[in-house]
Amino acid sequence: MTDSTSERPGVIDARPVRHPGRWVALAVILVLIGMMVSSFLTNPRWNFAKALEIMQQTPVIEGLWKGTIIGTVGAMAIGIVGGVIIAVLRLSHNPILRGVSFVYTWFFRGIPRLVLLAMIGSGVGFLYNRIDFGVPFGQQLASFMGLSSDFTFFTLNVNQFSSTLLAGIIGLGLSEAAYMAEIARAGILSVDTGQAEAASALGMNRGQAMRRVVLPQAMRVIVPPTGNETIAMVKDTSLLSAIPVITELFYQTSAIGNRTLLIMPAFVAVTAWYLIVGSVLMVGQYFLERRFGRGFGTGAPNKRFARPAGAGGA
Amino acid sequence: MDQTPENATPSATSTASRTRTSGPEAPLVHAVNVMKSFHGTEVLKGIDLDVQRGEVVCLLGPSGSGKTTFLRCINQLEAIDGGRIWVDGDLVGYREKDGHLHHLTDKEVATQRRDIGMVFQRFNLFPHMTALQNVTEAPIQVKGVGRKQAQERAVQLLEQVGLGDKPSAYPAQLSGGQQQRVAIARALAMDPKLMLFDEPTSALDPELVGEVLRVMRDLAQQGMTMIVVTHEMGFARDVADHVVFMDAGVVVEEGKPQDVIGNPQHERTRSFLQRMRSEDREARDDEARADSQDV
């Protein structure tokens, strides 16, 4: 019996498959990288030292914070909240709300952001010098009834407001909401209808079922494209100069480049900043995806209940 | 016994007088002439059913006979096209006023569903919540029970279904049988007066069916009123007080399980039961063969 173990196949010690193609590709890439690095070092016009200097200048940093980062955060906040609301309206039983949601998406998805921002910046102020908040048709009512009050509670000076960062953020946010609505709608539709049924069978109303059961599961599908949208928004804040809001990364950097004739170093500086912000966002997206992937096998946060292979899905 | 919608319709007066008595002796579920069509296809052609308090009723029949649809009508996951359903004396989905029926609002519908627990074929647990959270969700959100109190009750219920050791497991980390037992605990957490089971063991591997049926047997023994759509003949024979055989949208035969299953009067019932038995036998033969190979 002792020699029976030697007859039975033991531990596998196989030779790996060779991959000569990988080595060829590595060689080609190394040569190309070498050529590029050499041009960086030998061509004085790149001037990376100046680029690094421009990156740290006060107007550039200010533009990065105020225009690009606050602009992105504000516009995406409006976009995500607005987008989810529009998506829920789109899927509602109320035909009027469905129609409103459709027209909104049709309009804001249809016009370029540059055009929208230019219109908000100069067009709206030309049409309406000021906007009064009060009772609808209050002024007409007041003159008709001969009253002194015109039912206005609050007045917005459009000419002062329309060239501010806030106006730009609202413009970008409204446009973003139209795209986010489609993403949120796809996410909501991706959740099995049995989930909403189970929630309503427990006595939850439609709002509770949406908020507590459907949306949290939809987030798993919504987060990756939203990360994409956020990174796109970082770049689209450069359109704020159409408002015109000039405390914005690209405007400030290229202004320095034009003034000092260091055009290419300025472009390098702005590219570096956009890449840095984009990288930080990608890390944030990773953690968000892990958070909303709870209970779906991948990256289960609770290691004690590691999922056994082949266990049934939900 | 084959009932057509016409002769199954009771006179309006007798219906009204019966439902006004919503005392303890009145049936908990009283369905009269329930009709339902999907895209012009009649799925339910006038179903009558009474379920007494504490009674277990099993709905049997071939797939497509309408038994699942009927179950879903009771808690308004489907709206009925004709007939009436009363649960505990309340007309389901409508209010009768000035001789007209008025639709209930979404909120009123949600309130009616609170007292009716439902267990689905595909479990439909909330995958982003742990077993405990699945059970506490509705009491906290719908009834406004305090978190601590809801959790204590949930732990009790999970113990009752044999899952006291799994409160923090996510559904994906549980077997099908365990998931279905969590789903039963989730429904019980709302303290329903009626439990609906829609083929609760049909999506399970054969070796996991027993653990779910055991929980349902315990529940029946505790006096829960249950309507169970099932293909498990053994469960129907042993646990049901009343068995209803449906085919093609009508009730073909109903009565005590020993009569309907043991001595069916109708050809359709007989051929259905025969089919079920031969499937059972095949399964048993397979098992026997597997056993003999193990030796």
Side-chain angles (χ1 to χ4, degrees):
Chain A
M1 280 308 277
T2 43
D3 58 348
S4 75
T5 46
S6 63
E7 288 162 20
R8 289 150 68 87
V11 175
I12 290 177
D13 180 24
R15 296 290 148 86
V17 175
R18 306 274 172 213
H19 295 287
R22 290 182 190 174
W23 294 101
V24 174
L26 180 67
V28 171
I29 297 291
L30 281 178
V31 168
L32 288 176
I33 290 176
M35 287 162 71
M36 208 165 73
V37 170
S38 139
S39 100
F40 284 168
L41 297 178
T42 55
N43 187 341
R45 291 187 193 179
W46 273 110
N47 208 345
F48 286 105
K50 276 280 178 234
L52 206 61
E53 231 172 77
I54 293 172
M55 277 177 79
Q56 296 164 30
Q57 288 196 7
T58 318
V60 172
I61 300 283
E62 200 192 3
L64 172 73
W65 276 116
K66 274 199 187 160
T68 307
I69 292 178
I70 293 181
T72 303
V73 170
M76 284 311 292
I78 296 173
I80 291 169
V81 173
V84 169
I85 292 172
I86 293 162
V88 171
L89 295 187
R90 186 76 184 273
L91 298 169
S92 116
H93 286 323
N94 184 331
I96 314 268
L97 297 181
R98 273 206 307 270
V100 167
S101 155
F102 174 80
V103 170
Y104 181 95
T105 309
W106 166 78
F107 181 78
F108 280 100
R109 221 165 38 158
I111 44 176
R113 283 184 182 167
L114 185 64
V115 175
L116 179 68
L117 291 181
M119 276 206 309
I120 290 177
S122 31
V124 176
F126 166 75
L127 289 172
Y128 307 103
N129 294 319
R130 51 186 207 124
I131 295 178
D132 296 329
F133 292 88
V135 175
F137 299 105
Q139 286 153 357
Q140 284 90 331
L141 265 177
S143 66
F144 178 71
M145 300 194 297
L147 298 174
S148 56
S149 163
D150 61 357
F151 302 111
T152 300
F153 309 130
F154 170 72
T155 298
L156 178 74
N157 184 327
V158 175
N159 280 328
Q160 272 173 23
F161 172 77
S162 68
S163 60
T164 59
L165 176 62
L166 186 59
I169 288 175
I170 290 174
L172 286 174
L174 291 178
S175 165
E176 184 59 35
Y179 291 90
M180 282 306 304
E182 291 298 289
I183 291 171
R185 189 166 70 102
I188 291 169
L189 290 178
S190 78
V191 178
D192 180 36
T193 50
Q195 291 291 312
E197 272 184 4
S200 51
L202 286 164
M204 293 166 93
N205 60 37
R206 284 175 56 83
Q208 284 170 325
M210 183 57 79
R211 216 176 55 245
R212 300 285 310 174
V213 174
V214 176
L215 276 181
Q217 295 180 62
M219 288 305 284
R220 204 170 57 96
V221 174
I222 292 174
V223 168
T226 303
N228 217 18
E229 290 292 310
T230 309
I231 289 170
M233 182 57 79
V234 170
K235 297 176 289 177
D236 279 357
T237 54
S238 60
L239 299 174
L240 285 171
S241 53
I243 281 274
V245 169
I246 58 166
T247 48
E248 172 273 311
L249 182 60
F250 181 60
Y251 188 92
Q252 291 299 331
T253 319
S254 53
I256 291 172
N258 288 333
R259 203 163 55 232
T260 57
L261 297 182
L262 294 165
I263 293 174
M264 200 51 208
F267 284 165
V268 170
V270 79
T271 305
W273 269 128
Y274 280 127
L275 285 177
I276 289 169
V277 174
S279 310
V280 170
L281 287 174
M282 280 170 74
V283 173
Q285 181 176 352
Y286 167 78
F287 284 104
L288 271 181
E289 280 180 24
R290 216 172 59 159
R291 171 78 171 74
F292 287 108
R294 272 176 317 168
F296 283 93
T298 52
N302 203 338
K303 287 272 155 47
R304 280 184 303 150
F305 293 100
R307 184 182 182 183
Chain B
M1 260 289 277
D2 269 22
Q3 289 164 331
T4 57
E6 288 75 32
N7 63 26
T9 312
S11 69
T13 46
S14 79
T15 304
S17 60
R18 240 188 302 169
T19 52
R20 295 267 154 70
T21 54
S22 57
E25 69 286 347
L28 184 62
V29 178
H30 178 48
V32 183
N33 197 27
V34 173
M35 291 186 274
K36 173 75 187 170
S37 305
F38 289 113
H39 312 292
T41 311
E42 272 193 294
V43 182
L44 301 178
K45 303 173 186 167
I47 303 288
D48 296 334
L49 180 73
D50 277 0
V51 180
Q52 306 299 329
R53 274 158 225 279
E55 203 178 34
V56 176
V57 173
C58 281
L59 301 182
L60 311 177
S63 28
S65 58
K67 43 194 202 309
T68 288
T69 304
F70 177 67
L71 198 73
R72 290 166 60 84
C73 288
I74 295 175
N75 73 345
Q76 304 179 61
L77 290 178
E78 308 289 352
I80 59 178
D81 302 327
R84 305 276 190 280
I85 302 175
W86 285 269
V87 174
D88 206 9
D90 291 331
L91 183 57
V92 165
Y94 302 91
R95 184 187 307 110
E96 217 159 358
K97 215 171 97 185
D98 315 327
H100 287 284
L101 284 187
H102 300 263
H103 281 278
L104 295 183
T105 63
D106 285 354
K107 208 177 153 192
E108 289 164 329
V109 170
T111 309
Q112 283 193 335
R113 283 183 179 135
R114 270 191 204 190
D115 298 333
I116 304 173
M118 177 129 186
V119 174
F120 297 87
Q121 184 179 358
R122 301 281 326 159
F123 329 137
N124 295 354
L125 286 182
F126 305 137
H128 58 301
M129 298 181 192
T130 63
L132 190 80
Q133 287 167 340
N134 264 281
V135 181
T136 57
E137 178 67 14
I140 293 174
Q141 296 297 323
V142 178
K143 281 191 167 173
V145 175
R147 184 166 301 274
K148 220 170 153 221
Q149 201 187 339
Q151 279 173 350
E152 278 166 16
R153 173 99 170 99
V155 168
Q156 267 176 21
L157 286 168
L158 285 175
E159 269 163 17
Q160 184 184 334
V161 299
L163 290 169
D165 55 335
K166 299 274 188 202
S168 42
Y170 284 92
Q173 296 157 345
L174 298 170
S175 74
Q178 291 171 329
Q179 288 188 51
Q180 193 61 297
R181 286 185 282 150
V182 173
I184 293 172
R186 176 176 72 173
L188 291 175
M190 291 297 283
D191 297 314
K193 41 191 174 194
L194 170 68
M195 285 282 284
L196 308 176
F197 292 85
D198 181 14
E199 301 199 29
T201 57
S202 296
L204 296 176
D205 289 339
E207 79 268 23
L208 302 177
V209 169
E211 62 190 61
V212 172
L213 292 183
R214 212 168 303 130
V215 169
M216 290 167 61
R217 259 171 225 261
D218 290 347
L219 207 54
Q221 254 156 26
Q222 289 163 24
M224 175 63 75
T225 313
M226 297 161 59
I227 305 180
V228 185
V229 172
T230 187
H231 290 290
E232 295 292 328
M233 289 305 145
F235 179 84
R237 199 168 40 226
D238 300 347
V239 182
D241 300 298
H242 194 83
V243 170
V244 178
F245 177 73
M246 284 174 66
D247 191 15
V250 294
V251 173
V252 175
E253 189 165 355
E254 60 177 308
K256 297 230 168 294
Q258 56 265 35
D259 297 335
V260 176
I261 299 176
N263 183 21
Q265 298 302 307
H266 280 260
E267 182 47 41
R268 280 194 274 179
T269 320
R270 268 198 290 272
S271 71
F272 171 75
L273 289 170
Q274 212 148 39
R275 250 190 343 267
M276 297 300 291
R277 272 191 207 107
S278 69
E279 271 168 32
D280 267 3
R281 201 173 310 122
E282 271 167 36
R284 239 173 302 144
D285 288 351
D286 284 348
E287 269 170 40
R289 223 171 295 128
D291 285 347
S292 66
Q293 278 168 356
D294 277 351
V295 173

